[in-house]
């Protein structure tokens, strides 16, 4: 798999044994000679915390409010944008309290910094980027994290936007990204490459299940076609999508149904609401592993 993905540009793919996961399917029931697995239902929460300390939307309160939201909503999968490296373990500890007895895992990917060739940094000096939180029933099962930097960037912006995906036991590819906010055209190119190239390549090479992406895509679903690009123009046929009415979206491939979208107040701690949705994974997909 590493060889197949080596063609992505510099830093386009870092593969590690850090994993993440979202709840695995309920136990199978057998009818005659055919095994039927019930669909897996997950609650997915997308958050943009504006916690770099450098942006005008920074309040210093967003991690505390995100902790309250996680306690109240008990999501199974959390995608995080505009965070500092240390925010992931802080939110992981909260996530563990709402999923007692479950193994909780986390992943982080820093955004690049073009001038230095290193990571973009928060004001406190920590790497700045995106993350994932989830829980898993089978902690000993090998899992892999895929992450990298989008090949298309706005050269006027020193921040190089990143993407992050986790293969969850071959049953789900969970992903997040934070696309360019300085150029709609660049954001559209990043979105298209992620959905058309990166996700299919990972899924094809690993045999993983359907994919779900949560993130601040900095693209609207109601854009004027003669002005700003519409997020729907970067989504291949067969994908489903929900949004917060603005720039945050959850996108899923075939094999997943999205429903019950709801915005969650962040009480002014960041400039985006939380986006909560129900993710229903089709239990009949061939090769889907039982618990």
């Amino acid at each position: 798999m590493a060889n197949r993905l080596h063609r992505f540009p510099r830093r386009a793919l870092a593969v590690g044994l850090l994993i993440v996961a979202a709840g695995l399917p309920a136990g199978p029931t057998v009818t005659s000679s055919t095994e039927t697995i019930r669909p897996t239902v997950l609650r997915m929460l997308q958050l943009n915390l504006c916690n770099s300390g450098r942006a005008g939307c920074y309040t210093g309160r967003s991690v505390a409010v995100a902790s309250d939201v996680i306690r109240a909503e008990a999501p199974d999968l959390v995608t995080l944008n505009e965070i500092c490296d240390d925010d992931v373990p802080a939110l992981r500890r909260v996530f563990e309290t709402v999923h007692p007895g479950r193994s909780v895992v986390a992943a982080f990917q820093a955004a690049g910094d073009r001038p230095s060739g290193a990571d973009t940094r928060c004001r406190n000096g920590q790497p700045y980027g995106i993350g994932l939180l989830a829980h898993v029933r089978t902690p000993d099962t090998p899992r892999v994290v895929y992450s990298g930097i989008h090949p298309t960037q706005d050269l006027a912006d020193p921040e190089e936007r990143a993407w992050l995906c986790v293969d969850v036991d071959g049953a789900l590819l969970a992903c997040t990204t934070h696309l360019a906010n300085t150029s709609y055209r660049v954001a559209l190119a990043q979105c298209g490459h992620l959905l058309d190239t990166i996700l299919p390549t990972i899924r094809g090479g690993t045999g993983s299940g359907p994919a779900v992406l949560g993130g601040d895509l900095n693209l609207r679903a109601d854009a004027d076609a003669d002005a700003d690009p519409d997020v729907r123009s970067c989504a291949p046929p067969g994908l489903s999508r929900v949004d917060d009415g603005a720039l945050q979206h959850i996108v899923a491939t075939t094999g997943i149904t999205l429903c019950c979208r709801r915005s969650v107040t962040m009480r002014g701690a960041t400039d985006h609401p939380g986006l909560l949705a129900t993710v229903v994974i089709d239990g009949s997909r061939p090769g889907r592993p039982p618990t």
Side-chain angles (χ1 to χ4, degrees):
M1 181 57 201
N3 291 336
R4 289 195 61 185
L5 294 172
H6 185 68
R7 68 175 183 269
F8 288 132
R10 177 180 63 86
R11 300 178 58 189
L13 189 63
V15 178
L17 292 180
L18 179 69
I19 112 0
V20 95
L24 295 175
T29 58
V30 178
T31 304
S32 300
S33 59
T34 303
E35 183 180 80
T36 301
I37 304 177
R38 294 189 299 271
T40 300
V41 180
L42 307 175
R43 286 163 55 82
M44 180 173 177
L45 176 65
Q46 157 62 24
L47 296 172
N48 182 325
L49 297 186
C50 189
N51 204 40
S52 71
R54 299 181 182 277
C57 52
Y58 174 74
T59 65
R61 299 188 293 110
S62 62
V63 174
V65 174
S67 298
D68 291 342
V69 169
I70 290 171
R71 291 188 189 98
E73 301 293 347
D76 301 292
L77 172 64
V78 182
T79 50
L80 300 162
N81 297 164
E82 294 197 45
I83 58 169
C84 304
D85 196 2
D86 280 0
D87 297 337
V88 175
L91 292 172
R92 173 178 178 161
R93 289 190 290 271
V94 177
F95 195 75
E96 288 174 333
T97 67
V98 299
H99 297 291
R102 302 296 294 274
S103 294
V104 172
V105 290
F108 175 82
Q109 168 64 30
D113 178 65
R114 184 176 300 103
S116 68
D119 295 336
T120 294
R121 297 279 170 172
C122 294
R123 187 172 64 179
N124 61 14
Q126 296 171 15
Y128 163 86
I130 56 179
L132 277 162
L133 295 171
H135 60 83
V136 58
R137 293 181 182 177
T138 55
D140 295 330
T141 301
R143 288 168 296 272
V144 180
V145 164
Y146 303 90
S147 62
I149 302 298
H150 290 285
T152 302
Q153 300 285 338
D154 180 0
L155 298 182
D157 181 4
E159 179 187 339
E160 296 179 318
R161 303 299 173 122
W163 57 270
L164 172 66
C165 290
V166 177
D167 181 359
V168 183
D169 297 329
L172 176 69
L173 188 67
C175 302
T176 188
T177 192
H178 180 215
L179 301 185
N181 70 330
T182 54
S183 168
Y184 291 119
R185 301 294 176 182
V186 171
L188 191 68
Q190 292 170 343
C191 175
H193 187 259
L194 181 58
L195 295 176
D196 286 334
T197 302
I198 296 177
L199 268 60
T201 301
I202 296 173
R203 295 177 65 206
T206 63
S208 62
V212 62
L213 167 71
D216 180 355
L217 304 188
N218 278 307
L219 293 165
R220 294 183 177 273
D222 57 354
D224 183 344
D226 296 325
D228 302 335
D230 192 303
V231 68
R232 290 171 292 187
S233 65
C234 77
L239 270 66
S240 56
R241 183 192 55 80
V242 296
D243 60 59
D244 65 353
L247 304 177
Q248 294 184 113
H249 304 264
I250 294 175
V251 182
T253 62
T254 54
I256 293 178
T257 300
L258 298 176
C259 76
C260 315
R261 175 201 62 83
R262 177 162 60 88
S263 290
V264 180
T265 180
M266 295 297 288
R267 307 200 301 269
T270 176
D271 60 340
H272 295 275
L275 173 59
L276 185 69
T278 299
V279 176
V280 182
I281 305 171
D282 181 4
S284 64
R285 189 181 70 85
R288 184 175 176 79
T291 52

